[in-house]
Amino acid sequence: MRVIPAALRPWRSSIRARIVIACAALFLVLGAILIGAAYTQVGRVLAVPYGAQGETIEPGGNLQVNATTDASKRDEFLEFTLAGLGLGTLLAAGLGWAVSRRVLRPLTAVTTAAQAASQENLDRRLALAGPPDELKELADTFDAMLARLEAAFASQRRFVANASHELRTPLTEMRTLIDVTTARPAASAAELEPVLAAIGAAVDRSEELIEALLTLARSDRGPGPAELVDLPTAVEDAIDLIAPAAAARQIRIDTALQNAQVSGDRVLLERLVSNLIDNAVKHNVTGGWVLASTRTGAGTAELTVANGGEPIPADQVTGLFEPFRRLGGRTGNRPGAGLGLSIVASVAQAHGGHAQAHAGPAGGLDVQITLPATANGNRYAAPAAPGMAD
């Protein structure tokens, strides 16, 4: 974007010109009022009649004192004051021009920085010095906005790079398996069977990743038509789906479900619940445990899923809500693309709630989701333009 210096902008579109005109007009109007008031009094003289020498004028007599006007004095006053008014107006305009230049200097800096800002140039800051006035507050707000934009673009670049890497891995694996297999001209059915199984697993991982990315994009766009969703029912359905995998690893799943209803996009909310239960089982240890609970607080519905597992550093828990973030036991050959908690946080924010997590004292993770509760069938109106979770 081309930056236009303030001196080259059209006069009529300059706020500095408006300040100058306002100063001059204010001085002109007030001066004219003052001159008009004084003009009515200038040149007024008292004409006192007189008689013969030594004659005394008695009050109430036939001789009266009359007020007259000296026109020559009025003309001289009017010429002098009008000249002074014109000179003062020019002086007020000049002072307004000089003062406005100093006052609007921070605003010019903000405008120049805003015009120069772009996706590749977000690291510049105004760092405006001076008293804590409105312009200083504007500059600080603009600096904070640039910082948020820089962080958002950096997060977006990381997201695209990570998504490309995650999608490339199964595709590369499939191509390698196909190339190795076709390089052997006489491969038997027994030799092809494990290769086809490995290719099928890679396809499944690709489909899982693509579905997770689509869900994340859908939640970022905002929820669809609102429906009444019963959280305890959603938890039970999610447990039924994950029960075979949990039984294979001897993971015990307990529940403490109280009445909790929310209103929103049913598909997204059910995906939120299933992601929490699925993560609690996937990122657990053999013979571990999972506890899912729901309850209703003061106008809110809470869903908490706690699980055992390997210890997680407390200072790295918040980062687990970022896309493709997998720490410690969440890496290696375990399933998942690192989008589970990102989807949970995005769906919660899209429905006016929030997600938070705490590392368990003996290992594992406790994730708590807080959503606006729905009571007596009154539905929650979801926000129109939710943002992406950090």
Side-chain angles (χ1 to χ4, degrees), residues 88-336:
T89 302
L90 294 177
L91 181 60
L95 290 176
W97 180 262
V99 171
S100 63
R101 180 180 182 182
R102 180 177 181 84
V103 171
L104 296 178
R105 187 178 302 166
L107 188 59
T108 302
V110 173
T111 303
T112 303
Q115 290 177 327
S118 66
Q119 181 175 349
E120 292 77 20
N121 184 25
L122 292 173
D123 56 344
R124 298 176 59 182
R125 299 292 183 270
L126 295 174
L128 186 66
D133 53 12
E134 290 83 353
L135 293 177
K136 178 69 163 56
E137 183 179 359
L138 173 63
D140 292 343
T141 302
F142 184 78
D143 284 345
M145 182 192 68
L146 286 180
R148 291 193 299 271
L149 286 175
E150 184 180 15
F153 278 113
S155 177
Q156 183 185 48
R157 285 191 290 267
R158 290 195 304 269
F159 179 84
V160 172
N162 290 331
S164 301
H165 174 74
E166 294 286 345
L167 285 171
R168 188 187 302 116
T169 299
L171 293 175
T172 302
E173 183 179 349
M174 285 185 286
R175 176 172 290 279
T176 302
L177 291 171
I178 292 173
D179 291 343
V180 171
T181 303
T182 55
R184 295 182 296 177
S188 63
E191 293 175 335
L192 290 176
E193 185 176 352
V195 175
L196 294 176
I199 293 177
V203 171
D204 291 340
R205 290 198 299 271
S206 299
E207 290 180 347
E208 180 183 356
L209 176 59
I210 293 173
E211 183 183 357
L213 290 173
L214 291 175
T215 302
L216 186 60
R218 177 178 176 179
S219 64
D220 289 340
R221 289 197 307 268
E227 299 181 55
L228 198 61
V229 178
D230 185 67
L231 290 182
T233 302
V235 170
E236 292 173 348
D237 292 342
I239 292 176
D240 291 340
L241 291 176
I242 201 67
R249 298 179 56 196
Q250 301 176 0
I251 296 176
R252 185 183 77 256
I253 302 179
D254 296 322
T255 59
L257 304 177
Q258 301 179 16
N259 181 46
Q261 292 182 332
V262 296
S263 183
D265 190 315
R266 176 176 294 276
V267 174
L268 291 179
L269 289 172
E270 290 180 349
R271 183 62 184 268
L272 178 151
V273 176
S274 64
N275 272 19
L276 286 177
I277 303 297
D278 188 62
N279 276 9
V281 172
K282 284 182 179 179
H283 307 300
N284 212 320
V285 294
T286 301
W289 57 272
V290 175
L291 174 61
S293 61
T294 60
R295 71 185 186 91
T296 302
T300 61
E302 294 182 2
L303 166 64
T304 303
V305 177
N307 64 277
E310 300 175 1
I312 299 176
D315 59 343
Q316 299 183 24
V317 170
T318 304
L320 294 176
F321 289 105
E322 296 181 6
F324 304 105
R325 178 66 65 89
R326 289 170 289 188
L327 302 177
R330 295 174 180 260
T331 58
N333 296 324
R334 294 190 178 184

